[in-house]
Structures are given as structure tokens and as C-alpha cells.
Amino acid sequence: MKGISVLAIASSALAAAIKDSSSGSIAKSLDGAQGANLAMRDDDIKVLCGAPPDYPDSDFPAQDYSYPIGLLLGGGDHKLHVDAGPAKCIQAACNSGGGAGVFVCNDQHNGVDLLYTDIGWFAQRVYEKCKHRLDDGTDHVQKGQAFCPDNWNVILTTVGSDCTASTPPSSNQTESTH
């Protein structure tokens, strides 16, 4: 029952956040590796559906991303550490049983500490752009990737059955997943 309550809350948070961000004029403060604050709009973000090619193809029912994206958007001021890249990717959020999930990748040559909410904002861009309706009327989301100008990116795809990021951060400390 607890899992269903969390899913319901996360689904509501995701729906509200997507509704709020649909205007296309979102301004979001992002912490870059150098600490620079950038104002981001949907026009500034490159999103590729079906990418990256080295990740397995996936096409999940849209609601399967409600919990992972909701988890990130509800992350407050918590940060996730990603070691130096390029192409250093870790799980940022997923369902405890596996399946649909969010990865964050660092393409910088130094480690970065990224706000969960910033990762979630980029995950929403992929969700919105890569969502499509099947013939049976259900919405699905194809794997996809969104690129931040600060040289990191977010990928929505399968995590398989091995989810290591299914719980929210528990303190104000930076979470480190290596």
C-alpha cells in the first residue's frame, strides 16, 4: 500500500510539473560544473529520441516513468555526484523492480554534483518529446537523451532488472553512486 501511495504522489507531482513546464518558457537555474547559473528554456535543450545507440531500445508505457521522474523532481536541494567523464553514466532514478529509469551522464573531465531537480527537468524534456500514442490509445515513451549545455546529459531507457536508484535521497548530503 505504501508503494501505491508513493506512486500516486509521484504521478501527481510529475503531472503538475509537466503541466507547469508546458509553456515552453521555463527558466530554470542549473548548477554547472563551474557553478555558473544558466537560464534554460526548452529551445536551449537538444533532445534525441531513439538515442543513444549504445543503450538498449526501450518503449515503456508513459506511466512507468511517473515514479522515476517524480523522484527526481521531488529531490529538493539534494545533489547526485557523477564522477569525471567523458561518458560516465549512472542511474539517477528507477522503479524498484527495474524497467523504466533515468540515467545521468557526465561528459566533463571533472566530477559534477547535479541537483536531482535539474536531472528531473531534463528527464521531463525527453518524456515530452519522445512520448507517442500507440494504435490501442496508450501513451508510450521511447528511449531518448537530453543534452545540457554544461556538458552533461540525461537518458530515459531501461535499467533492466537491476535498479540501484529507487529511493529518494535521505539527507542534504550529496549522494554518490559509483
Side-chain angles (χ1 to χ4, degrees):
M1 188 63 161
K2 188 182 211 179
I4 292 171
S5 297
V6 171
L7 182 58
I9 291 168
S11 295
S12 299
L14 176 60
I18 288 173
K19 181 178 183 248
D20 289 344
S21 68
S22 64
S23 66
S25 61
I26 291 295
K28 179 82 173 149
S29 173
L30 296 173
D31 292 335
Q34 292 76 29
N37 287 327
L38 300 174
M40 295 309 242
R41 296 179 325 191
D42 287 344
D43 296 350
D44 298 327
I45 307 304
K46 177 179 167 185
V47 176
L48 301 175
C49 297
D54 56 339
Y55 277 70
D57 286 335
S58 64
D59 193 60
F60 287 102
Q63 75 264 12
D64 286 8
Y65 282 106
S66 295
Y67 179 78
I69 295 175
L71 180 73
L72 293 166
L73 293 173
D77 62 353
H78 298 284
K79 293 183 178 184
L80 182 64
H81 178 79
V82 186
D83 288 339
K88 175 64 177 177
C89 301
I90 61 172
Q91 288 182 18
C94 46
N95 296 302
S96 62
V102 180
F103 286 84
V104 62
C105 302
N106 181 13
D107 290 325
Q108 299 180 31
H109 292 283
N110 52 290
V112 294
D113 296 312
L114 305 170
L115 285 169
Y116 275 79
T117 53
D118 290 344
I119 299 166
W121 190 81
F122 278 85
Q124 282 183 321
R125 308 289 75 77
V126 177
Y127 177 94
E128 291 167 350
K129 183 163 186 179
C130 300
K131 185 169 73 170
H132 59 280
R133 182 153 292 169
L134 299 181
D135 291 339
D136 67 4
T138 60
D139 289 335
H140 278 238
V141 178
Q142 177 186 22
K143 78 172 179 179
Q145 187 172 18
F147 296 88
C148 177
D150 285 347
N151 216 17
W152 56 272
N153 64 85
V154 170
I155 300 168
L156 266 60
T157 190
T158 182
V159 297
S161 61
D162 185 29
C163 173
T164 60
S166 64
T167 58
S170 57
S171 70
N172 285 335
Q173 299 293 327
T174 299
E175 301 291 316
S176 184
T177 306
H178 302 280

